[in-house]
Amino acid sequence: MENSLLLLFFLGHLTHSIGSAENTGRQISCSSQQWLGPVTLKQQLLKDGFHRELLIDVEAGGAAGVPEGCSLALVVHLPKGVYVDPYQLAMLKESNELEALVLNEVDVEAPEYFSSEVSVLVFTKRSSQCIGCFTSTLPLHARYHRPSTGGETHVTVILGNPQLMTRCQTVPVDLECPESVVKEAACTAENKTSCNWLLVNYKHVSEGAAMEIPVGQERRVVVVAAGTLLVTTLCCGLVLGAVFGQAQRGG
């Protein structure tokens, strides 16, 4: 009887020790994910008019920087009043200026009221600004909006803050940590395979950027339509007159 009690006590102690060791290992593994350090993100709109550029700068890793073999990517969610041109992104990829994937279909001709939101996966590049700096410049285009009925000359389109993700080949990441939120996405801009990316919390140096987009006035629709029709009719008349005169001279 005593031997059985001793055996049970020994097994219980052993199980507790193994559990403690696993928990300690999990804490060490979780704490090792702090290698990224404090992360800050800043986004800024460049240029004016309907065709803009969204500059996104990320600083991570602190004084040690971000280890080699680690990548940072952004998921940029664009409201339906703004879009990216997939053909333009393909050209920028060929010239090695930008690596980005459009995650849903884009109709570049549709106005804002016939469009939907667009998401873009952007692979950042290391910047020479600092050892842990990454940067990306995404070209954006504003869509035409309905004419204003209240006299407004512009509408404001707010660009929200993007999701920031990291993937490392050199730093182990415990995906079972409570702090770990994993997102599956393309490994590279080639979009041949998918990988698990770790979502990264960051500090906003600047809030979401805002685009001021010009809109027409509904009360001027009749005047504009009449003027357009008049100019078109005159141009057609001039062209037909020139063609008829040329035919008469040729005859």
Side-chain angles (χ1 to χ4, degrees):
M1 185 67 178
E2 291 183 0
N3 291 336
S4 299
L5 292 175
L6 289 174
L7 179 60
L8 290 174
F9 175 78
F10 174 75
L11 290 175
H13 180 72
L14 180 61
T15 303
H16 176 73
S17 299
I18 293 174
S20 299
E22 289 181 349
N23 291 334
T24 302
R26 174 64 53 80
Q27 291 172 0
I28 293 174
S29 184
C30 283
S31 64
S32 68
Q33 295 180 199
Q34 301 302 319
W35 59 269
L36 202 55
V39 181
T40 58
L41 183 146
K42 178 182 180 181
Q43 55 182 358
Q44 178 183 2
L45 278 169
L46 308 178
K47 299 183 177 180
D48 298 313
F50 276 80
H51 308 286
R52 311 287 296 272
E53 290 181 347
L54 179 62
L55 173 64
I56 303 178
D57 291 317
V58 180
E59 184 175 349
V66 177
E68 293 295 331
C70 294
S71 305
L72 293 181
L74 300 158
V75 180
V76 181
H77 301 287
L78 301 176
K80 61 182 183 178
V82 181
Y83 71 96
V84 291
D85 186 343
Y87 303 102
Q88 182 183 18
L89 297 186
M91 294 177 61
L92 292 173
K93 181 177 179 295
E94 289 182 1
S95 60
N96 200 31
E97 296 180 56
L98 176 69
E99 292 188 349
L101 291 173
V102 183
L103 302 181
N104 44 358
E105 293 186 4
V106 179
D107 185 349
V108 299
E109 301 293 339
E112 178 268 343
Y113 42 89
F114 287 144
S115 303
S116 56
E117 296 180 353
V118 177
S119 295
V120 188
L121 176 60
V122 181
F123 298 90
T124 64
K125 294 185 177 182
R126 290 181 181 266
S127 171
S128 59
Q129 296 296 324
C130 69
I131 192 171
C133 289
F134 292 75
T135 187
S136 290
T137 302
L138 182 66
L140 302 180
H141 308 279
R143 294 188 183 275
Y144 289 100
H145 288 62
R146 291 185 185 276
S148 169
T149 58
E152 296 86 357
T153 58
H154 292 76
V155 295
T156 302
V157 175
I158 304 295
L159 304 180
N161 295 301
Q163 288 181 311
L164 179 62
M165 310 184 300
T166 185
R167 182 175 71 88
C168 284
Q169 300 175 354
T170 56
V171 178
V173 175
D174 187 353
L175 300 182
E176 296 183 7
C177 284
E179 298 85 0
S180 299
V181 180
V182 179
K183 183 181 182 71
E184 185 176 349
C187 299
T188 65
E190 300 297 332
N191 198 22
K192 294 182 178 179
T193 56
S194 60
C195 295
N196 287 329
W197 292 78
L198 183 69
L199 291 180
V200 178
N201 294 323
Y202 59 84
K203 178 183 178 182
H204 303 234
V205 175
S206 60
E207 295 299 326
M211 292 181 64
E212 296 289 331
I213 302 175
V215 294
Q217 304 294 311
E218 190 174 74
R219 63 176 182 270
R220 298 176 182 172
V221 169
V222 175
V223 176
V224 173
T228 303
L229 180 61
L230 177 61
V231 172
T232 303
T233 303
L234 289 175
C235 291
C236 289
L238 291 174
V239 171
L240 290 174
V243 171
F244 183 73
Q246 184 68 26
Q248 282 189 328
R249 286 194 294 270

